[in-house]
Amino acid sequence: MEDQQRGSTGSDSDGVDDPVHSSSSVMMIPAQFMEITEDCFQKKEQSWSATSQIPTDLTIRVQDITFYVHKYPLVARCGYLTRTELQAPDQHSGYDFKLENFPGGSEAFEIVLRFCYGLPINITTNNVAAVRCASEYLEMTEALEDGNLISKAEAFFTFMVLSSWRESITVLNACETLSPWAENLQIVRRCCDSIAWKISRENNTEEDIAEQDWWFEDVTTLRIDHFMRIITAIKAKGVKPETTGSCIIRYAEKWLPGFDVEKEAIGQHRYHKNEMQWNIISSRAQDGVLQQSKEHRVIIENLVSILPPQKEAVPCNFLLRMLKLALMYSASPALISELEKRVGMVLENANVSDLLIPGYMVQDQGKPSNLTGEHSMHNIEVVQRILEYFLMYEQQQQKPGTVNVSKLLDNYLAEIARDPTLSIPNFKVLAESLPENARTCDDGLYRAIDTFLKSHPSISEHDRRRLCRIMNCEKLSLDACSHAAQNERLPLRTVIQILFSEQVKMRTAIQVKDQAASDENSDQEGSWSCTKKEVETLKAELEMIKTKMAELQTDYVELQKEYEKLNNNHRNLWTFGWLKIKKSALHHGKVDSEDAGEGQLRSNSDRKTRFARRQSIS
């Protein structure tokens, strides 16, 4: 019935020969239209018209172009226009309608018109996707004519595009403006599968990763959803996670304008909150990130979702840079948590600069919110959570890596300690995040505390004592003890503890030296000989150590006397009494754990003179 109706629609125009019908009732183009040549088409800025012996009777608007054409050539090959014409109230008048959301726009429709008028058309890699979608829109099927436009476009796509890497990439790029038609017609899926198959075939035969990135440049030009399809496909085909991760990194570098801004801005403005914040915001504004924050957030979330699960897939610094951008563009809490967990798995490979996460968040309005961590310029809460994930992962794997992370944390603390807005509670909580046995030496922690005291000169004595309790004086090296003993920023009680610790270390060193000298003398006639000069050198070193030990003993006794004097003078001025330093503490190897009284130390010149003399001896 529908075929008979299609046949009847073409016989009413005046001056037109009777159309020729096949046995299958397929409408044929009248002879007059077959004589139209290229010269019969006139194209202006906003219009396109076909001129012949027969006046045009159909006006079609596509985007901002108006096409004045004849209904017969189009109706003969476009099922959509056939149905649209039959719905018109008056078939003897001209028709005027608009094709809404036509895939490929006016350029694709012009190719369709040339095909309908019987003119040669040029299907290329650049337009085949648009032609295929346009022909589907107009229903140019084989039921209307053998060799209709759908079959021609499909044949070119199958044999010319899918067999070639370059053509597949080109068509996939062209599909970005053809949604949802390109998706529904499986053009995108088939291109992605073809690309993924070629990648996996080549990469599975190569061993050097440097030779496996030949496809990075082409694939990273694709839109994020198409890129995800390819990455998902090659992961399923067994491409190495390191190769896949490298491609994801390349994509982030190309499509995220702020990928390197964060690192540069923090390095240049590490300790001035206003300057650092202005540098980052202005950089984002210059790159247009504020206007495209939603698009960039989508890219970040999609890239994180397709990261290979293996630890070696991407380096730690990439994860931390993505985390900074996720915070900047207000990504979902679930995604931020996922990044924090992944960083925790490889935290021992991080650098201090990677952990310097700015304490701001960009909201939807494009304005930075209040800084986190009591207005600190660094986001300490994120680092705290990363440490927690690291400890959880380390406990599950039973593979200790705490020593490396403890050094990293101490260096990080020394950096953020320069921030004058950093509070003691935040510093203290972060410093105590690791278990006590994680640090084999507290020199790094001492340096961080000293940096904090230097950057916060106005804090009270009580806060100084509270801060210094974080470190274990027994874990300081001799060099650190020597420096700390002369450090006027430290509380008196801490200095006493350090001096005592240094005495213990010196005493142990003397015992080791004595034992070594004894072993040297006893083994002179053994398997190796020890010269007289070496013995004399060893004895000289022992004498210097003993002299230095005597100096330490004198310092310690004087500090005890001064402390007792201050304790007696100010006993009634404090609510909590100060405990005396027991004279037997040195012999028992401990100092009272309660807060000792603090006051003015002996003059700087006396102390420095004594330690200068002791250093000259060593």
Side-chain angles (χ1 to χ4, degrees):
M1 181 65 180
E2 184 175 352
D3 290 337
Q4 293 176 355
Q5 288 176 336
R6 287 174 181 165
S8 64
T9 59
S11 60
D12 297 330
S13 298
D14 295 337
V16 178
D17 293 339
D18 291 336
V20 180
H21 296 80
S22 67
S23 58
S24 60
S25 299
V26 176
M27 183 181 295
M28 304 299 292
I29 300 176
Q32 291 88 337
F33 298 114
M34 302 300 295
E35 299 176 358
I36 291 180
T37 63
E38 290 283 350
D39 298 336
C40 298
F41 296 108
Q42 297 180 356
K43 185 176 182 181
K44 300 180 180 180
E45 292 184 358
Q46 302 296 327
S47 66
W48 191 98
S49 60
T51 59
S52 68
Q53 300 175 4
I54 304 174
T56 60
D57 56 357
L58 180 61
T59 301
I60 300 178
R61 294 188 302 277
V62 179
Q63 293 178 332
D64 56 348
I65 304 295
T66 302
F67 294 86
Y68 300 96
V69 295
H70 303 87
K71 64 181 179 181
Y72 274 111
L74 273 71
V75 170
R77 290 170 172 165
C78 302
Y80 175 81
L81 297 180
T82 300
R83 294 201 315 272
T84 303
E85 183 183 10
L86 291 176
Q87 294 174 2
D90 186 357
Q91 296 182 4
H92 298 281
S93 62
Y95 297 90
D96 185 353
F97 60 93
K98 182 177 182 180
L99 295 178
E100 299 286 351
N101 301 319
F102 188 77
S106 59
E107 294 180 358
F109 189 70
E110 184 176 341
I111 296 175
V112 170
L113 285 178
R114 292 180 180 278
F115 177 80
C116 291
Y117 276 100
L119 295 175
I121 60 174
N122 184 24
I123 299 180
T124 66
T125 305
N126 292 320
N127 65 27
V128 64
V131 171
R132 176 66 181 87
C133 294
S135 60
E136 187 72 23
Y137 182 105
L138 295 172
E139 301 175 17
M140 303 177 72
T141 64
E142 296 292 296
L144 295 178
E145 182 182 76
D146 292 338
N148 211 342
L149 191 54
I150 286 180
S151 63
K152 290 186 178 298
E154 188 65 34
F156 183 93
F157 175 75
T158 302
F159 295 104
M160 301 300 295
V161 174
L162 296 182
S163 61
S164 169
W165 166 271
R166 179 62 58 185
E167 278 68 22
S168 297
I169 292 290
T170 302
V171 170
L172 202 52
N173 275 314
C175 290
E176 295 180 1
T177 59
L178 296 173
S179 297
W181 289 92
E183 289 283 352
N184 297 336
L185 294 175
Q186 304 297 315
I187 297 176
V188 172
R189 182 191 63 77
R190 287 183 287 173
C191 282
C192 290
D193 288 347
S194 174
I195 294 169
W197 180 80
K198 292 178 176 65
I199 293 173
S200 61
R201 181 188 63 184
E202 296 295 331
N203 279 262
N204 289 335
T205 60
E206 298 174 359
E207 297 181 358
D208 187 2
I209 294 182
E211 298 178 357
Q212 294 180 355
D213 62 355
W214 56 269
W215 51 279
F216 285 10
E217 190 61 31
D218 290 333
V219 172
T220 54
T221 62
L222 302 174
R223 200 173 65 184
I224 183 61
D225 54 338
H226 298 163
F227 178 77
M228 286 183 61
R229 283 176 176 264
I230 293 176
I231 295 298
T232 302
I234 65 175
K235 285 167 61 179
K237 294 180 183 299
V239 174
K240 295 179 180 179
E242 299 94 324
T243 305
T244 304
S246 297
C247 186
I248 293 174
I249 295 174
R250 185 81 61 87
Y251 192 93
E253 292 172 346
K254 178 175 291 189
W255 288 88
L256 296 176
F259 197 71
D260 293 324
V261 170
E262 291 297 324
K263 187 174 182 180
E264 295 173 1
I266 294 173
Q268 295 172 0
H269 302 285
R270 190 174 291 171
Y271 311 118
H272 298 84
K273 176 179 67 176
N274 295 334
E275 291 182 5
M276 183 188 76
Q277 192 172 348
W278 170 253
N279 178 279
I280 295 173
I281 294 176
S282 63
S283 297
R284 289 200 309 266
Q286 292 173 2
D287 292 340
V289 176
L290 293 179
Q291 291 77 13
Q292 302 175 356
S293 59
K294 182 178 180 180
E295 177 182 340
H296 295 149
R297 182 169 61 248
V298 170
I299 292 176
I300 293 169
E301 292 177 345
N302 282 282
L303 289 182
V304 174
S305 68
I306 59 174
L307 284 175
Q310 293 83 356
K311 289 175 56 177
E312 65 276 9
V314 291
C316 183
N317 65 344
F318 169 76
L319 296 172
L320 283 165
R321 289 160 75 187
M322 291 293 289
L323 178 57
K324 293 174 187 178
L325 291 178
L327 293 168
M328 180 192 302
Y329 293 114
S330 302
S332 65
L335 177 126
I336 292 175
S337 178
E338 175 65 21
L339 280 172
E340 291 172 349
K341 291 178 181 178
R342 290 196 64 128
V343 173
M345 293 172 59
V346 291
L347 184 58
E348 63 271 16
N349 299 324
N351 295 319
V352 174
S353 59
D354 301 329
L355 288 176
L356 294 177
I357 302 174
Y360 64 86
M361 299 276 286
V362 174
Q363 298 176 342
D364 293 336
Q365 295 82 1
K367 300 179 180 179
S369 63
N370 291 332
L371 301 180
T372 60
E374 298 184 7
H375 303 283
S376 171
M377 61 182 282
H378 297 100
N379 196 326
I380 299 179
E381 294 178 357
V382 171
V383 178
Q384 175 71 32
R385 291 195 295 268
I386 291 174
L387 281 171
E388 292 175 357
Y389 287 128
F390 164 76
L391 294 173
M392 292 172 56
Y393 178 78
E394 185 186 49
Q395 184 177 8
Q396 294 173 357
Q397 298 297 317
Q398 296 181 353
K399 184 178 179 181
T402 317
V403 175
N404 294 335
V405 172
S406 66
K407 295 178 181 178
L408 172 67
L409 178 60
D410 291 345
N411 291 332
Y412 173 77
L413 290 170
E415 289 293 331
I416 66 172
R418 305 184 190 187
D419 176 14
T421 64
L422 179 63
S423 66
I424 291 179
N426 282 342
F427 182 91
K428 190 172 182 293
V429 168
L430 196 59
E432 295 175 341
S433 298
L434 296 178
E436 185 177 356
N437 60 354
R439 293 182 177 90
T440 58
C441 178
D442 274 14
D443 284 11
L445 186 56
Y446 164 69
R447 181 170 67 92
I449 293 173
D450 186 45
T451 303
F452 188 96
L453 294 175
K454 188 185 301 182
S455 303
H456 302 74
S458 61
I459 65 174
S460 65
E461 290 296 319
H462 173 71
D463 287 337
R464 291 174 185 270
R465 293 196 303 271
R466 187 156 60 109
L467 196 64
C468 289
R469 289 195 191 101
I470 301 175
M471 67 178 175
N472 185 348
C473 297
E474 296 180 357
K475 290 186 177 182
L476 295 178
S477 66
L478 285 173
D479 290 338
C481 288
S482 298
H483 182 278
Q486 303 177 71
N487 192 342
E488 297 178 359
R489 291 182 290 271
L490 298 179
L492 174 62
R493 171 177 170 76
T494 303
V495 175
I496 294 175
Q497 289 178 320
I498 291 172
L499 283 172
F500 171 75
S501 177
E502 188 175 13
Q503 288 180 341
V504 173
K505 289 182 176 65
M506 294 295 294
R507 184 173 297 170
T508 303
I510 291 175
Q511 293 175 354
V512 172
K513 289 286 187 180
D514 287 336
Q515 182 64 37
S518 176
D519 293 341
E520 292 279 353
N521 293 329
S522 63
D523 292 341
Q524 284 185 7
E525 298 178 356
S527 60
W528 60 280
S529 62
C530 179
T531 66
K532 181 178 181 181
K533 184 178 179 179
E534 291 174 339
V535 175
E536 292 177 352
T537 301
L538 186 58
K539 289 181 178 180
E541 291 178 358
L542 286 173
E543 291 300 325
M544 285 190 293
I545 293 175
K546 290 179 180 179
T547 301
K548 192 174 181 180
M549 187 66 184
E551 291 286 345
L552 286 173
Q553 181 68 25
T554 303
D555 288 343
Y556 186 68
V557 171
E558 289 181 2
L559 282 173
Q560 282 182 311
K561 291 178 180 179
E562 183 179 354
Y563 182 71
E564 290 176 358
K565 181 178 178 181
L566 289 172
N567 188 34
N568 292 331
N569 291 338
H570 299 283
R571 184 185 300 274
N572 297 326
L573 296 179
W574 302 92
T575 303
F576 299 99
W578 297 67
L579 297 178
K580 293 183 178 181
I581 300 178
K582 299 180 181 179
K583 295 183 179 180
S584 60
L586 180 62
H587 305 287
H588 289 241
K590 65 179 180 178
V591 178
D592 290 343
S593 60
E594 299 295 330
D595 287 345
E598 295 189 29
Q600 183 179 8
L601 296 174
R602 61 180 177 275
S603 66
N604 295 340
S605 60
D606 293 343
R607 177 194 279 186
K608 291 180 178 179
T609 299
R610 182 174 300 279
F611 278 102
R613 182 171 67 252
R614 189 171 65 190
Q615 292 297 327
S616 65
I617 294 174
S618 59

